[in-house]
Amino acid sequence: MPQAQRAPARVALLGTGTVGRAVLERLTAWSGSSQGGRLSLVYAANSRHALGGRFGLLPEGVADLLQHEGQPSRLSAVELALQGGHGPRIVVDATASEEVALNHARWLSQGIHVVTACKLGQGTSLERWRAIHAACAEGNTRYGDSATVGAGLPLIRSIRELRAGGDRIHAIAGVLSGSLAWLFNHYDGLRPFSGFVREAREAGYTEPDPRDDLSGEDVRRKIVILARAAGVELEPGDVDVASLVPAELARLAKADVDAALPSLDQPLRDRFADAYKNGGKLRFIARLEHGKARVGLESLPADHPLAGGAGTDNRVAIWSDRYSRQPLVIQGPGAGAEVTAAGLLDDVLRICG
Ligand SMILES: NC(=O)c1ccc[n+]([C@@H]2O[C@H](COP(=O)([O-])OP(=O)(O)OC[C@H]3O[C@@H](n4cnc5c(N)ncnc54)[C@H](OP(=O)(O)O)[C@@H]3O)[C@@H](O)[C@H]2O)c1
């Protein structure tokens, strides 16, 4: 059937923060285009306000309307808002909400597709991950997860396509955090590491509390998602994570963290000096090898495939049957609202068919 004849998908957007706003901007830019005609935004919400529009909302006005005319936000309203029409029903999760992630399996089992940037659905317990997959089978629905790792870079998709083509995945290694990529692309061992952390935070590359990045916990979730896509069903606790946050810094209240950041300086200076002596470069690497995963700082030869890249680039090497000597290497911006929103909406369009 030509695309113009398909009923448009009904879409509910959850989250109007950095990524959600970029989704709205992309939808606005699609107005009058073939992509725009394939879907209708019928619901938008943040944690406070929600707005429904049976015949579709104009994406450019949503943020303002939510503020001034929104109803109290309730996740139980999502199903009702998506009712009607003959096209697919899709929830786009642009939150970091555990409560929203807990609803993924329920929506999927009810015939509502889920597209998500949030790692709390697939990157936490195996029990939750298995429930999501069982719910897709039950509801004949799809789970769009391209934006959960690498902000929409074709990472998860390439792993799945290699396996669908009969390859076994032998190993995966990569720089999976945009903020840690930026930090170690810039750290020169001369100026204090804490200064680079503050600069990265001010530029919006790190979380407001940089310990969330430096602890490696975000990378733990990402390697768990990639491992499961590769057929290795790990629990998050199976991943050996070497945090960069010293124990005393980890214990501090959020308000005291900034003043204590210099406690990072000496340990990082020592690591840098060791790497430098051997011509190496420090990179924060996640690895999956022989069914085991680990995350931490490594010194790599300067010409190593994972030592390059610029800015917040992610860079991932995948070894498989066909790429057994030279890995497939995928590199590109692995953070940022625009690429993440594009990754989300690519998944939405794939579901629209
Ligand atoms: N930023 C990036 O570059 C990037 C890249 C890849 C993936 N991601 C992922 O994308 C997600 C969103 O990131 P972000 O940077 O956009 O975060 P953000 O700016 O903090 O926005 C989060 C949004 O979620 C809303 N929210 C929270 N609980 C909700 C609920 N129960 N119902 C509806 N909305 C709810 C918040 O509402 P309020 O406005 O009321 O607080 C806020 O609008 C995260 O999971 C993040 O890990 C982000």
Side-chain angles (χ1 to χ4, degrees):
M1 192 193 293
Q3 270 167 15
Q5 290 175 27
R6 289 180 204 272
R10 292 171 72 77
V11 173
L13 172 66
L14 303 180
T16 57
T18 313
V19 172
R21 273 198 305 274
V23 168
L24 291 169
E25 277 163 25
R26 198 166 173 87
L27 289 176
T28 303
W30 279 359
S31 161
S33 71
S34 62
Q35 288 90 349
R38 289 160 69 188
L39 55 96
S40 171
L41 180 71
V42 294
Y43 185 82
N46 53 35
S47 70
R48 297 152 290 139
H49 309 294
L51 198 66
R54 239 181 117 205
F55 302 106
L57 300 165
L58 282 179
E60 62 266 40
V62 162
D64 240 17
L65 279 175
L66 265 180
Q67 187 70 19
H68 297 110
E69 294 177 26
Q71 303 293 311
S73 177
R74 281 180 299 113
L75 286 179
S76 55
V78 172
E79 287 104 298
L80 194 63
L82 287 171
Q83 271 177 12
H86 299 288
R89 294 170 291 156
I90 306 174
V91 169
V92 175
D93 179 358
T95 77
S97 160
E98 169 75 3
E99 192 196 356
V100 175
L102 279 172
N103 279 276
H104 287 179
R106 193 171 59 79
W107 287 321
L108 290 162
S109 67
Q110 290 175 5
I112 298 171
H113 306 273
V114 174
V115 168
T116 182
C118 176
K119 291 171 282 294
L120 299 178
Q122 295 219 109
T124 56
S125 72
L126 265 179
E127 189 188 358
R128 189 178 297 180
W129 178 76
R130 287 185 179 134
I132 285 171
H133 286 262
C136 286
E138 190 186 338
N140 193 22
T141 42
R142 286 163 68 179
Y143 193 68
D145 54 8
S146 306
T148 56
V149 186
L153 284 176
L155 298 178
I156 306 178
R157 193 172 356 135
S158 299
I159 292 169
R160 290 199 181 117
E161 283 174 6
L162 285 170
R163 291 186 72 211
D167 267 36
R168 286 166 303 131
I169 305 297
H170 304 178
I172 300 172
V175 174
L176 296 177
S177 157
S179 50
L180 292 170
W182 188 92
L183 281 170
F184 290 104
N185 282 337
H186 285 77
Y187 181 50
D188 54 11
L190 299 171
R191 291 169 287 165
F193 189 74
S194 53
F196 289 93
V197 173
R198 290 191 181 116
E199 199 179 325
R201 186 182 53 200
E202 273 148 36
Y205 299 143
T206 69
E207 296 294 324
D209 182 342
R211 292 176 301 184
D212 295 343
D213 300 277
L214 297 166
S215 66
E217 288 305 318
D218 177 64
V219 178
R220 181 200 299 271
R221 292 201 179 103
K222 289 175 175 169
I223 193 69
V224 160
I225 293 173
L226 293 185
R228 291 172 182 173
V232 182
E233 298 190 3
L234 295 178
E235 288 284 5
D238 296 333
V239 183
D240 185 6
V241 178
S243 167
L244 296 178
V245 183
E248 61 280 13
L249 182 58
R251 276 195 293 271
L252 290 181
K254 220 169 164 178
D256 301 327
V257 169
D258 188 71
L261 283 178
S263 66
L264 292 163
D265 294 343
Q266 192 58 46
L268 265 304
R269 196 173 294 126
D270 293 345
R271 298 289 296 266
F272 187 93
D274 276 351
Y276 188 78
K277 262 197 310 239
N278 301 311
K281 287 189 176 239
L282 288 181
R283 294 290 180 260
F284 198 81
I285 302 288
R287 282 186 190 276
L288 174 75
E289 280 166 347
H290 312 299
K292 292 195 180 335
R294 64 175 199 274
V295 167
L297 203 55
E298 296 185 19
S299 167
L300 301 177
D303 60 354
H304 189 281
L306 299 178
T312 59
D313 275 4
N314 280 193
R315 199 169 168 100
V316 177
I318 301 167
W319 290 263
S320 73
D321 292 343
R322 82 186 70 169
Y323 300 120
S324 58
R325 283 166 184 272
Q326 284 289 92
L328 168 69
V329 178
I330 298 168
Q331 182 198 324
E338 286 79 16
V339 282
T340 307
L344 284 170
L345 289 174
D346 285 354
D347 278 349
V348 167
L349 290 179
R350 272 185 214 106
I351 292 168
C352 292

